[in-house]
Amino acid sequence: MNQPQIILLGPPGAGKGTQSTRLAEEYDVDHVTTGDALRANRDVETDHGTPREYMEAGELVPDPVVNEIVVEALADADGFVLDGYPRNLDQAEFLADIVDLDTVASLSVPEDELVRRLTGRRICPDCDATYHVEFAPPAEAGSCDDCGAELTQRDDDTEDTVRERLRVYEENTAPVVDHYRETGKLTEVDGDGTPDEVFTALRETVEA
Ligand code: AP5
Ligand code: MG
Ligand code: ZN
């Protein structure tokens, strides 16, 4: 059997990264995340400026920049979990021309919980591990379990930028979720449980 081709949709803080990492391990497929790819290249000059200016404001990075990342990442992937893409209808159309999707899952989480998750998130600048001060704390406060580096906050995890990211999601990405619902491809998964509960529901969706 070919490896599964999965996209995981959901608002900022829904747990896309947390769950995509697990799915990629479970099914031995690539975890393709436009957010991480853009953060790794945030100061690279493009025809549209640097990714950093858009990301720090909570706005979408222009489609040509993001589409190129996705084309390259999917070119040699034998199965994938795509996290953070597509984020608008044009990206969804672009994607439809290059892959056949097996699973489109969307995580739903109430807005006040999203804000709590994002403002409490801590990340490892060295190995990209993700923590939460309350929900997923490291063994030793402030340092990474995996590599010992000092944990930091993402530049866009301030309360104001989080609100703007949620607004941008409603305006641009909620229509993508509607689009997959209308075409009968979408499975909505309750993202407001423990990480284990959400993972179990996602696995059932992929294997359905
Ligand atoms: P991106 O990096 O994709 O950010 P996002 O969509 O805002 O989502 P997050 O990564 O913040 O949240 P997540 O759903 O991955 O949650 P996580 O698992 O970390 O994009 C950032 C920016 O890049 C965009 O604003 C844009 O500028 C640009 N960009 C990216 N893709 C683009 C595209 N396609 N087009 C244009 N621009 C693009 O979890 C969050 C926290 O909650 C963590 O602390 C975690 O430990 C905790 N947590 C997770 N699950 C649970 C749970 N079940 N219970 C309790 N806590 C939990
Ligand atoms: Mg993420
Ligand atoms: Zn680390």
Side-chain angles (χ1 to χ4, degrees), residues 11-18 34-35 38-39 55 59-61 66 84-85 87 91 117-118 121 130-132 135 154 165 193-195:
K16 300 183 296 297
T18 303
T34 48
L38 290 165
R39 266 184 293 283
M55 297 176 84
E59 308 303 328
L60 296 185
V61 174
V66 183
Y85 185 98
R87 258 177 149 93
Q91 292 181 9
R117 288 189 187 178
L118 292 170
R121 173 166 55 191
T130 298
Y131 300 88
H132 189 283
F135 307 137
R154 252 168 64 172
R165 286 160 60 202
T194 65

PDB file of all heavy atoms in Angstrom, residues 11-18 34-35 38-39 55 59-61 66 84-85 87 91 117-118 121 130-132 135 154 165 193-195, ligand 1:
ATOM      1  N   PRO A  11      -7.132  25.832  13.475  1.00  0.00           N
ATOM      2  CA  PRO A  11      -6.655  27.172  13.805  1.00  0.00           C
ATOM      3  C   PRO A  11      -5.312  27.153  14.532  1.00  0.00           C
ATOM      4  O   PRO A  11      -4.870  26.094  14.996  1.00  0.00           O
ATOM      5  CB  PRO A  11      -7.762  27.729  14.710  1.00  0.00           C
ATOM      6  CG  PRO A  11      -8.461  26.527  15.248  1.00  0.00           C
ATOM      7  CD  PRO A  11      -8.352  25.467  14.194  1.00  0.00           C
ATOM      8  N   PRO A  12      -4.664  28.300  14.654  1.00  0.00           N
ATOM      9  CA  PRO A  12      -3.428  28.408  15.431  1.00  0.00           C
ATOM     10  C   PRO A  12      -3.631  27.817  16.828  1.00  0.00           C
ATOM     11  O   PRO A  12      -4.611  28.155  17.499  1.00  0.00           O
ATOM     12  CB  PRO A  12      -3.199  29.919  15.532  1.00  0.00           C
ATOM     13  CG  PRO A  12      -3.908  30.499  14.357  1.00  0.00           C
ATOM     14  CD  PRO A  12      -5.084  29.592  14.094  1.00  0.00           C
ATOM     15  N   GLY A  13      -2.748  26.932  17.225  1.00  0.00           N
ATOM     16  CA  GLY A  13      -2.819  26.369  18.573  1.00  0.00           C
ATOM     17  C   GLY A  13      -3.690  25.139  18.691  1.00  0.00           C
ATOM     18  O   GLY A  13      -3.819  24.555  19.770  1.00  0.00           O
ATOM     19  N   ALA A  14      -4.277  24.683  17.575  1.00  0.00           N
ATOM     20  CA  ALA A  14      -5.194  23.541  17.643  1.00  0.00           C
ATOM     21  C   ALA A  14      -4.469  22.235  17.952  1.00  0.00           C
ATOM     22  O   ALA A  14      -5.097  21.243  18.320  1.00  0.00           O
ATOM     23  CB  ALA A  14      -5.965  23.418  16.337  1.00  0.00           C
ATOM     24  N   GLY A  15      -3.146  22.232  17.747  1.00  0.00           N
ATOM     25  CA  GLY A  15      -2.379  21.005  17.999  1.00  0.00           C
ATOM     26  C   GLY A  15      -1.916  20.338  16.709  1.00  0.00           C
ATOM     27  O   GLY A  15      -1.552  19.158  16.710  1.00  0.00           O
ATOM     28  N   LYS A  16      -1.875  21.093  15.619  1.00  0.00           N
ATOM     29  CA  LYS A  16      -1.449  20.527  14.331  1.00  0.00           C
ATOM     30  C   LYS A  16      -0.026  19.974  14.420  1.00  0.00           C
ATOM     31  O   LYS A  16       0.249  18.873  13.967  1.00  0.00           O
ATOM     32  CB  LYS A  16      -1.508  21.597  13.218  1.00  0.00           C
ATOM     33  CG  LYS A  16      -2.894  22.182  12.993  1.00  0.00           C
ATOM     34  CD  LYS A  16      -2.890  23.182  11.835  1.00  0.00           C
ATOM     35  CE  LYS A  16      -2.030  24.423  12.069  1.00  0.00           C
ATOM     36  NZ  LYS A  16      -2.475  25.260  13.205  1.00  0.00           N
ATOM     37  N   GLY A  17       0.872  20.773  14.980  1.00  0.00           N
ATOM     38  CA  GLY A  17       2.263  20.343  15.077  1.00  0.00           C
ATOM     39  C   GLY A  17       2.408  19.136  15.980  1.00  0.00           C
ATOM     40  O   GLY A  17       3.068  18.141  15.636  1.00  0.00           O
ATOM     41  N   THR A  18       1.782  19.206  17.141  1.00  0.00           N
ATOM     42  CA  THR A  18       1.849  18.107  18.119  1.00  0.00           C
ATOM     43  C   THR A  18       1.368  16.799  17.489  1.00  0.00           C
ATOM     44  O   THR A  18       2.020  15.754  17.592  1.00  0.00           O
ATOM     45  CB  THR A  18       0.945  18.453  19.331  1.00  0.00           C
ATOM     46  OG1 THR A  18       1.380  19.700  19.875  1.00  0.00           O
ATOM     47  CG2 THR A  18       0.973  17.374  20.387  1.00  0.00           C
ATOM     48  N   THR A  34       4.769  24.091   6.730  1.00  0.00           N
ATOM     49  CA  THR A  34       5.184  25.356   6.126  1.00  0.00           C
ATOM     50  C   THR A  34       5.636  26.356   7.192  1.00  0.00           C
ATOM     51  O   THR A  34       6.562  27.123   6.958  1.00  0.00           O
ATOM     52  CB  THR A  34       4.032  25.953   5.290  1.00  0.00           C
ATOM     53  OG1 THR A  34       2.824  25.921   6.046  1.00  0.00           O
ATOM     54  CG2 THR A  34       3.838  25.159   4.012  1.00  0.00           C
ATOM     55  N   GLY A  35       5.005  26.329   8.364  1.00  0.00           N
ATOM     56  CA  GLY A  35       5.394  27.255   9.428  1.00  0.00           C
ATOM     57  C   GLY A  35       6.850  27.070   9.834  1.00  0.00           C
ATOM     58  O   GLY A  35       7.624  28.025   9.902  1.00  0.00           O
ATOM     59  N   LEU A  38       9.204  28.126   7.020  1.00  0.00           N
ATOM     60  CA  LEU A  38       9.304  29.590   6.915  1.00  0.00           C
ATOM     61  C   LEU A  38      10.119  30.173   8.067  1.00  0.00           C
ATOM     62  O   LEU A  38      10.916  31.088   7.874  1.00  0.00           O
ATOM     63  CB  LEU A  38       7.904  30.211   6.883  1.00  0.00           C
ATOM     64  CG  LEU A  38       7.104  29.957   5.604  1.00  0.00           C
ATOM     65  CD1 LEU A  38       5.629  30.288   5.823  1.00  0.00           C
ATOM     66  CD2 LEU A  38       7.668  30.763   4.443  1.00  0.00           C
ATOM     67  N   ARG A  39       9.918  29.624   9.276  1.00  0.00           N
ATOM     68  CA  ARG A  39      10.706  30.126  10.422  1.00  0.00           C
ATOM     69  C   ARG A  39      12.198  29.873  10.201  1.00  0.00           C
ATOM     70  O   ARG A  39      13.030  30.713  10.537  1.00  0.00           O
ATOM     71  CB  ARG A  39      10.249  29.462  11.733  1.00  0.00           C
ATOM     72  CG  ARG A  39       9.195  30.281  12.487  1.00  0.00           C
ATOM     73  CD  ARG A  39       8.831  29.658  13.829  1.00  0.00           C
ATOM     74  NE  ARG A  39       8.147  28.389  13.662  1.00  0.00           N
ATOM     75  CZ  ARG A  39       6.869  28.270  13.320  1.00  0.00           C
ATOM     76  NH1 ARG A  39       6.119  29.331  13.145  1.00  0.00           N
ATOM     77  NH2 ARG A  39       6.315  27.076  13.155  1.00  0.00           N
ATOM     78  N   MET A  55       5.156  36.999   9.249  1.00  0.00           N
ATOM     79  CA  MET A  55       4.916  36.104  10.375  1.00  0.00           C
ATOM     80  C   MET A  55       4.798  36.869  11.691  1.00  0.00           C
ATOM     81  O   MET A  55       3.954  36.565  12.518  1.00  0.00           O
ATOM     82  CB  MET A  55       6.037  35.071  10.458  1.00  0.00           C
ATOM     83  CG  MET A  55       6.064  34.206   9.217  1.00  0.00           C
ATOM     84  SD  MET A  55       7.423  33.048   9.195  1.00  0.00           S
ATOM     85  CE  MET A  55       6.735  31.709  10.158  1.00  0.00           C
ATOM     86  N   GLU A  59       0.296  37.653   9.653  1.00  0.00           N
ATOM     87  CA  GLU A  59      -0.338  37.606   8.328  1.00  0.00           C
ATOM     88  C   GLU A  59       0.195  36.417   7.540  1.00  0.00           C
ATOM     89  O   GLU A  59       1.247  35.862   7.858  1.00  0.00           O
ATOM     90  CB  GLU A  59      -0.028  38.894   7.544  1.00  0.00           C
ATOM     91  CG  GLU A  59      -0.346  40.190   8.277  1.00  0.00           C
ATOM     92  CD  GLU A  59      -1.799  40.295   8.724  1.00  0.00           C
ATOM     93  OE1 GLU A  59      -2.669  39.744   8.020  1.00  0.00           O
ATOM     94  OE2 GLU A  59      -2.059  40.905   9.773  1.00  0.00           O
ATOM     95  N   LEU A  60      -0.509  36.058   6.455  1.00  0.00           N
ATOM     96  CA  LEU A  60      -0.035  34.971   5.611  1.00  0.00           C
ATOM     97  C   LEU A  60       1.154  35.432   4.773  1.00  0.00           C
ATOM     98  O   LEU A  60       1.158  36.552   4.255  1.00  0.00           O
ATOM     99  CB  LEU A  60      -1.150  34.485   4.677  1.00  0.00           C
ATOM    100  CG  LEU A  60      -2.380  33.868   5.335  1.00  0.00           C
ATOM    101  CD1 LEU A  60      -3.326  33.324   4.262  1.00  0.00           C
ATOM    102  CD2 LEU A  60      -2.001  32.768   6.314  1.00  0.00           C
ATOM    103  N   VAL A  61       2.117  34.562   4.627  1.00  0.00           N
ATOM    104  CA  VAL A  61       3.234  34.794   3.708  1.00  0.00           C
ATOM    105  C   VAL A  61       2.680  34.582   2.283  1.00  0.00           C
ATOM    106  O   VAL A  61       1.843  33.708   2.070  1.00  0.00           O
ATOM    107  CB  VAL A  61       4.383  33.808   4.029  1.00  0.00           C
ATOM    108  CG1 VAL A  61       5.509  33.904   3.011  1.00  0.00           C
ATOM    109  CG2 VAL A  61       4.899  34.054   5.446  1.00  0.00           C
ATOM    110  N   VAL A  66       5.227  30.213  -0.406  1.00  0.00           N
ATOM    111  CA  VAL A  66       4.795  29.017   0.326  1.00  0.00           C
ATOM    112  C   VAL A  66       4.596  27.839  -0.628  1.00  0.00           C
ATOM    113  O   VAL A  66       4.982  26.707  -0.327  1.00  0.00           O
ATOM    114  CB  VAL A  66       3.490  29.329   1.093  1.00  0.00           C
ATOM    115  CG1 VAL A  66       3.076  28.136   1.920  1.00  0.00           C
ATOM    116  CG2 VAL A  66       3.662  30.550   1.978  1.00  0.00           C
ATOM    117  N   GLY A  84      -0.305  23.062   8.240  1.00  0.00           N
ATOM    118  CA  GLY A  84      -0.204  24.509   8.012  1.00  0.00           C
ATOM    119  C   GLY A  84      -0.414  24.914   6.565  1.00  0.00           C
ATOM    120  O   GLY A  84      -0.195  26.075   6.213  1.00  0.00           O
ATOM    121  N   TYR A  85      -0.863  24.007   5.739  1.00  0.00           N
ATOM    122  CA  TYR A  85      -1.083  24.253   4.319  1.00  0.00           C
ATOM    123  C   TYR A  85      -2.158  23.287   3.854  1.00  0.00           C
ATOM    124  O   TYR A  85      -2.108  22.128   4.253  1.00  0.00           O
ATOM    125  CB  TYR A  85       0.218  24.010   3.546  1.00  0.00           C
ATOM    126  CG  TYR A  85       0.141  24.350   2.068  1.00  0.00           C
ATOM    127  CD1 TYR A  85       0.613  25.564   1.588  1.00  0.00           C
ATOM    128  CD2 TYR A  85      -0.407  23.433   1.159  1.00  0.00           C
ATOM    129  CE1 TYR A  85       0.540  25.872   0.235  1.00  0.00           C
ATOM    130  CE2 TYR A  85      -0.481  23.741  -0.179  1.00  0.00           C
ATOM    131  CZ  TYR A  85      -0.002  24.956  -0.639  1.00  0.00           C
ATOM    132  OH  TYR A  85      -0.081  25.262  -1.970  1.00  0.00           O
ATOM    133  N   ARG A  87      -3.783  27.186   3.350  1.00  0.00           N
ATOM    134  CA  ARG A  87      -4.315  28.182   4.266  1.00  0.00           C
ATOM    135  C   ARG A  87      -5.248  29.163   3.603  1.00  0.00           C
ATOM    136  O   ARG A  87      -5.753  30.071   4.251  1.00  0.00           O
ATOM    137  CB  ARG A  87      -3.157  28.972   4.852  1.00  0.00           C
ATOM    138  CG  ARG A  87      -2.814  28.538   6.254  1.00  0.00           C
ATOM    139  CD  ARG A  87      -1.623  29.361   6.655  1.00  0.00           C
ATOM    140  NE  ARG A  87      -1.595  29.615   8.047  1.00  0.00           N
ATOM    141  CZ  ARG A  87      -0.959  28.859   8.931  1.00  0.00           C
ATOM    142  NH1 ARG A  87      -0.365  27.758   8.570  1.00  0.00           N
ATOM    143  NH2 ARG A  87      -0.929  29.212  10.181  1.00  0.00           N
ATOM    144  N   GLN A  91      -4.377  28.278  -2.391  1.00  0.00           N
ATOM    145  CA  GLN A  91      -3.416  27.220  -2.037  1.00  0.00           C
ATOM    146  C   GLN A  91      -4.071  25.840  -2.164  1.00  0.00           C
ATOM    147  O   GLN A  91      -3.437  24.879  -2.616  1.00  0.00           O
ATOM    148  CB  GLN A  91      -2.873  27.419  -0.622  1.00  0.00           C
ATOM    149  CG  GLN A  91      -1.991  28.649  -0.474  1.00  0.00           C
ATOM    150  CD  GLN A  91      -1.431  28.819   0.944  1.00  0.00           C
ATOM    151  OE1 GLN A  91      -1.551  27.942   1.800  1.00  0.00           O
ATOM    152  NE2 GLN A  91      -0.825  29.974   1.187  1.00  0.00           N
ATOM    153  N   ARG A 117      -3.300  27.905  24.972  1.00  0.00           N
ATOM    154  CA  ARG A 117      -2.249  27.020  24.443  1.00  0.00           C
ATOM    155  C   ARG A 117      -1.103  27.822  23.830  1.00  0.00           C
ATOM    156  O   ARG A 117       0.073  27.487  24.007  1.00  0.00           O
ATOM    157  CB  ARG A 117      -2.836  26.079  23.377  1.00  0.00           C
ATOM    158  CG  ARG A 117      -3.724  25.002  23.970  1.00  0.00           C
ATOM    159  CD  ARG A 117      -4.086  23.999  22.894  1.00  0.00           C
ATOM    160  NE  ARG A 117      -5.068  23.026  23.375  1.00  0.00           N
ATOM    161  CZ  ARG A 117      -5.573  22.063  22.621  1.00  0.00           C
ATOM    162  NH1 ARG A 117      -5.210  21.957  21.353  1.00  0.00           N
ATOM    163  NH2 ARG A 117      -6.452  21.212  23.123  1.00  0.00           N
ATOM    164  N   LEU A 118      -1.448  28.881  23.093  1.00  0.00           N
ATOM    165  CA  LEU A 118      -0.393  29.609  22.377  1.00  0.00           C
ATOM    166  C   LEU A 118       0.423  30.500  23.301  1.00  0.00           C
ATOM    167  O   LEU A 118       1.650  30.574  23.173  1.00  0.00           O
ATOM    168  CB  LEU A 118      -1.011  30.441  21.248  1.00  0.00           C
ATOM    169  CG  LEU A 118      -1.593  29.590  20.111  1.00  0.00           C
ATOM    170  CD1 LEU A 118      -2.391  30.451  19.150  1.00  0.00           C
ATOM    171  CD2 LEU A 118      -0.480  28.847  19.375  1.00  0.00           C
ATOM    172  N   ARG A 121       2.834  28.323  25.235  1.00  0.00           N
ATOM    173  CA  ARG A 121       3.748  27.437  24.490  1.00  0.00           C
ATOM    174  C   ARG A 121       5.195  27.881  24.673  1.00  0.00           C
ATOM    175  O   ARG A 121       5.512  29.072  24.703  1.00  0.00           O
ATOM    176  CB  ARG A 121       3.399  27.460  23.005  1.00  0.00           C
ATOM    177  CG  ARG A 121       4.426  26.693  22.164  1.00  0.00           C
ATOM    178  CD  ARG A 121       3.953  26.402  20.762  1.00  0.00           C
ATOM    179  NE  ARG A 121       3.548  27.577  20.040  1.00  0.00           N
ATOM    180  CZ  ARG A 121       2.911  27.531  18.875  1.00  0.00           C
ATOM    181  NH1 ARG A 121       2.590  26.372  18.326  1.00  0.00           N
ATOM    182  NH2 ARG A 121       2.576  28.647  18.280  1.00  0.00           N
ATOM    183  N   THR A 130       8.417  21.041  21.268  1.00  0.00           N
ATOM    184  CA  THR A 130       7.383  21.976  21.734  1.00  0.00           C
ATOM    185  C   THR A 130       6.898  21.589  23.126  1.00  0.00           C
ATOM    186  O   THR A 130       6.657  20.409  23.395  1.00  0.00           O
ATOM    187  CB  THR A 130       6.182  21.952  20.760  1.00  0.00           C
ATOM    188  OG1 THR A 130       6.624  22.383  19.483  1.00  0.00           O
ATOM    189  CG2 THR A 130       5.076  22.886  21.231  1.00  0.00           C
ATOM    190  N   TYR A 131       6.749  22.589  23.992  1.00  0.00           N
ATOM    191  CA  TYR A 131       6.267  22.367  25.353  1.00  0.00           C
ATOM    192  C   TYR A 131       5.139  23.351  25.644  1.00  0.00           C
ATOM    193  O   TYR A 131       4.859  24.262  24.863  1.00  0.00           O
ATOM    194  CB  TYR A 131       7.399  22.605  26.369  1.00  0.00           C
ATOM    195  CG  TYR A 131       8.565  21.683  26.143  1.00  0.00           C
ATOM    196  CD1 TYR A 131       9.594  22.029  25.261  1.00  0.00           C
ATOM    197  CD2 TYR A 131       8.632  20.454  26.801  1.00  0.00           C
ATOM    198  CE1 TYR A 131      10.657  21.170  25.040  1.00  0.00           C
ATOM    199  CE2 TYR A 131       9.700  19.590  26.581  1.00  0.00           C
ATOM    200  CZ  TYR A 131      10.699  19.953  25.703  1.00  0.00           C
ATOM    201  OH  TYR A 131      11.747  19.105  25.482  1.00  0.00           O
ATOM    202  N   HIS A 132       4.499  23.138  26.810  1.00  0.00           N
ATOM    203  CA  HIS A 132       3.534  24.125  27.302  1.00  0.00           C
ATOM    204  C   HIS A 132       3.765  24.255  28.800  1.00  0.00           C
ATOM    205  O   HIS A 132       3.906  23.230  29.484  1.00  0.00           O
ATOM    206  CB  HIS A 132       2.102  23.676  27.002  1.00  0.00           C
ATOM    207  CG  HIS A 132       1.089  24.733  27.294  1.00  0.00           C
ATOM    208  ND1 HIS A 132       0.671  25.025  28.577  1.00  0.00           N
ATOM    209  CD2 HIS A 132       0.454  25.608  26.477  1.00  0.00           C
ATOM    210  CE1 HIS A 132      -0.205  26.032  28.521  1.00  0.00           C
ATOM    211  NE2 HIS A 132      -0.352  26.399  27.270  1.00  0.00           N
ATOM    212  N   PHE A 135       0.402  22.548  30.266  1.00  0.00           N
ATOM    213  CA  PHE A 135      -0.159  21.304  29.715  1.00  0.00           C
ATOM    214  C   PHE A 135       0.904  20.284  29.304  1.00  0.00           C
ATOM    215  O   PHE A 135       0.602  19.101  29.184  1.00  0.00           O
ATOM    216  CB  PHE A 135      -1.046  21.608  28.500  1.00  0.00           C
ATOM    217  CG  PHE A 135      -2.102  22.641  28.763  1.00  0.00           C
ATOM    218  CD1 PHE A 135      -2.358  23.640  27.828  1.00  0.00           C
ATOM    219  CD2 PHE A 135      -2.849  22.619  29.941  1.00  0.00           C
ATOM    220  CE1 PHE A 135      -3.339  24.590  28.060  1.00  0.00           C
ATOM    221  CE2 PHE A 135      -3.836  23.574  30.182  1.00  0.00           C
ATOM    222  CZ  PHE A 135      -4.082  24.571  29.240  1.00  0.00           C
ATOM    223  N   ARG A 154       7.808  31.643  20.774  1.00  0.00           N
ATOM    224  CA  ARG A 154       7.758  32.073  19.381  1.00  0.00           C
ATOM    225  C   ARG A 154       7.418  33.550  19.313  1.00  0.00           C
ATOM    226  O   ARG A 154       6.631  34.039  20.105  1.00  0.00           O
ATOM    227  CB  ARG A 154       6.695  31.256  18.626  1.00  0.00           C
ATOM    228  CG  ARG A 154       7.309  30.261  17.666  1.00  0.00           C
ATOM    229  CD  ARG A 154       6.310  29.272  17.158  1.00  0.00           C
ATOM    230  NE  ARG A 154       5.238  29.875  16.359  1.00  0.00           N
ATOM    231  CZ  ARG A 154       4.335  29.159  15.683  1.00  0.00           C
ATOM    232  NH1 ARG A 154       4.375  27.849  15.705  1.00  0.00           N
ATOM    233  NH2 ARG A 154       3.394  29.763  14.995  1.00  0.00           N
ATOM    234  N   ARG A 165      -3.727  36.322  14.277  1.00  0.00           N
ATOM    235  CA  ARG A 165      -3.636  35.029  13.586  1.00  0.00           C
ATOM    236  C   ARG A 165      -4.998  34.336  13.565  1.00  0.00           C
ATOM    237  O   ARG A 165      -5.364  33.709  12.563  1.00  0.00           O
ATOM    238  CB  ARG A 165      -2.589  34.134  14.271  1.00  0.00           C
ATOM    239  CG  ARG A 165      -1.158  34.595  13.968  1.00  0.00           C
ATOM    240  CD  ARG A 165      -0.153  34.071  14.987  1.00  0.00           C
ATOM    241  NE  ARG A 165      -0.082  32.644  15.067  1.00  0.00           N
ATOM    242  CZ  ARG A 165       0.382  31.972  16.121  1.00  0.00           C
ATOM    243  NH1 ARG A 165       0.830  32.632  17.196  1.00  0.00           N
ATOM    244  NH2 ARG A 165       0.415  30.656  16.112  1.00  0.00           N
ATOM    245  N   GLY A 193      -9.321  17.540  23.552  1.00  0.00           N
ATOM    246  CA  GLY A 193      -9.077  16.503  24.555  1.00  0.00           C
ATOM    247  C   GLY A 193      -7.603  16.490  24.899  1.00  0.00           C
ATOM    248  O   GLY A 193      -6.866  17.414  24.535  1.00  0.00           O
ATOM    249  N   THR A 194      -7.166  15.429  25.580  1.00  0.00           N
ATOM    250  CA  THR A 194      -5.727  15.291  25.834  1.00  0.00           C
ATOM    251  C   THR A 194      -5.043  14.951  24.503  1.00  0.00           C
ATOM    252  O   THR A 194      -5.692  14.457  23.574  1.00  0.00           O
ATOM    253  CB  THR A 194      -5.450  14.140  26.816  1.00  0.00           C
ATOM    254  OG1 THR A 194      -5.845  12.916  26.188  1.00  0.00           O
ATOM    255  CG2 THR A 194      -6.216  14.316  28.133  1.00  0.00           C
ATOM    256  N   PRO A 195      -3.737  15.188  24.408  1.00  0.00           N
ATOM    257  CA  PRO A 195      -3.039  14.811  23.176  1.00  0.00           C
ATOM    258  C   PRO A 195      -3.260  13.340  22.795  1.00  0.00           C
ATOM    259  O   PRO A 195      -3.410  13.031  21.618  1.00  0.00           O
ATOM    260  CB  PRO A 195      -1.568  15.106  23.514  1.00  0.00           C
ATOM    261  CG  PRO A 195      -1.648  16.234  24.502  1.00  0.00           C
ATOM    262  CD  PRO A 195      -2.871  15.933  25.335  1.00  0.00           C
TER     263      PRO A 195
HETATM  264  P1  AP5 B   1       2.315  27.932  11.794  1.00  0.00           P
HETATM  265  O1  AP5 B   1       3.648  27.670  12.358  1.00  0.00           O
HETATM  266  O2  AP5 B   1       1.660  26.919  10.955  1.00  0.00           O
HETATM  267  O3  AP5 B   1       1.375  28.391  12.992  1.00  0.00           O
HETATM  268  P2  AP5 B   1      -0.189  28.218  13.294  1.00  0.00           P
HETATM  269  O4  AP5 B   1      -1.049  27.699  12.203  1.00  0.00           O
HETATM  270  O5  AP5 B   1      -0.565  29.526  13.845  1.00  0.00           O
HETATM  271  O6  AP5 B   1      -0.245  27.049  14.267  1.00  0.00           O
HETATM  272  P3  AP5 B   1       0.704  26.813  15.499  1.00  0.00           P
HETATM  273  O7  AP5 B   1       1.970  26.178  15.038  1.00  0.00           O
HETATM  274  O8  AP5 B   1       0.791  28.046  16.307  1.00  0.00           O
HETATM  275  O9  AP5 B   1      -0.194  25.782  16.325  1.00  0.00           O
HETATM  276  P4  AP5 B   1      -0.338  24.216  16.187  1.00  0.00           P
HETATM  277  O10 AP5 B   1      -1.714  23.928  15.693  1.00  0.00           O
HETATM  278  O11 AP5 B   1       0.796  23.605  15.433  1.00  0.00           O
HETATM  279  O12 AP5 B   1      -0.287  23.811  17.709  1.00  0.00           O
HETATM  280  P5  AP5 B   1       0.847  23.061  18.589  1.00  0.00           P
HETATM  281  O13 AP5 B   1       0.802  21.601  18.292  1.00  0.00           O
HETATM  282  O14 AP5 B   1       2.145  23.744  18.519  1.00  0.00           O
HETATM  283  O15 AP5 B   1       2.383  29.307  10.933  1.00  0.00           O
HETATM  284  C1  AP5 B   1       3.011  30.433  11.456  1.00  0.00           C
HETATM  285  C2  AP5 B   1       3.013  31.566  10.434  1.00  0.00           C
HETATM  286  O16 AP5 B   1       3.704  31.131   9.251  1.00  0.00           O
HETATM  287  C3  AP5 B   1       1.639  32.010   9.931  1.00  0.00           C
HETATM  288  O17 AP5 B   1       1.054  32.956  10.793  1.00  0.00           O
HETATM  289  C4  AP5 B   1       2.016  32.608   8.565  1.00  0.00           C
HETATM  290  O18 AP5 B   1       2.592  33.866   8.709  1.00  0.00           O
HETATM  291  C5  AP5 B   1       3.094  31.652   8.080  1.00  0.00           C
HETATM  292  N1  AP5 B   1       2.554  30.523   7.295  1.00  0.00           N
HETATM  293  C6  AP5 B   1       2.608  29.204   7.628  1.00  0.00           C
HETATM  294  N2  AP5 B   1       2.007  28.454   6.689  1.00  0.00           N
HETATM  295  C7  AP5 B   1       1.572  29.318   5.740  1.00  0.00           C
HETATM  296  C8  AP5 B   1       0.845  29.144   4.527  1.00  0.00           C
HETATM  297  N3  AP5 B   1       0.442  27.921   4.102  1.00  0.00           N
HETATM  298  N4  AP5 B   1       0.553  30.255   3.804  1.00  0.00           N
HETATM  299  C9  AP5 B   1       0.939  31.473   4.211  1.00  0.00           C
HETATM  300  N5  AP5 B   1       1.617  31.712   5.349  1.00  0.00           N
HETATM  301  C10 AP5 B   1       1.931  30.633   6.114  1.00  0.00           C
HETATM  302  O19 AP5 B   1       0.206  23.270  20.052  1.00  0.00           O
HETATM  303  C11 AP5 B   1       0.132  24.557  20.632  1.00  0.00           C
HETATM  304  C12 AP5 B   1       0.424  24.470  22.145  1.00  0.00           C
HETATM  305  O20 AP5 B   1      -0.608  23.717  22.769  1.00  0.00           O
HETATM  306  C13 AP5 B   1       1.738  23.763  22.508  1.00  0.00           C
HETATM  307  O21 AP5 B   1       2.293  24.391  23.607  1.00  0.00           O
HETATM  308  C14 AP5 B   1       1.299  22.339  22.852  1.00  0.00           C
HETATM  309  O22 AP5 B   1       2.161  21.747  23.802  1.00  0.00           O
HETATM  310  C15 AP5 B   1      -0.085  22.560  23.427  1.00  0.00           C
HETATM  311  N6  AP5 B   1      -1.012  21.460  23.112  1.00  0.00           N
HETATM  312  C16 AP5 B   1      -1.098  20.767  21.942  1.00  0.00           C
HETATM  313  N7  AP5 B   1      -2.095  19.852  21.996  1.00  0.00           N
HETATM  314  C17 AP5 B   1      -2.654  19.989  23.238  1.00  0.00           C
HETATM  315  C18 AP5 B   1      -3.731  19.330  23.914  1.00  0.00           C
HETATM  316  N8  AP5 B   1      -4.428  18.344  23.314  1.00  0.00           N
HETATM  317  N9  AP5 B   1      -4.047  19.737  25.166  1.00  0.00           N
HETATM  318  C19 AP5 B   1      -3.334  20.738  25.775  1.00  0.00           C
HETATM  319  N10 AP5 B   1      -2.303  21.394  25.207  1.00  0.00           N
HETATM  320  C20 AP5 B   1      -1.959  21.019  23.942  1.00  0.00           C
END
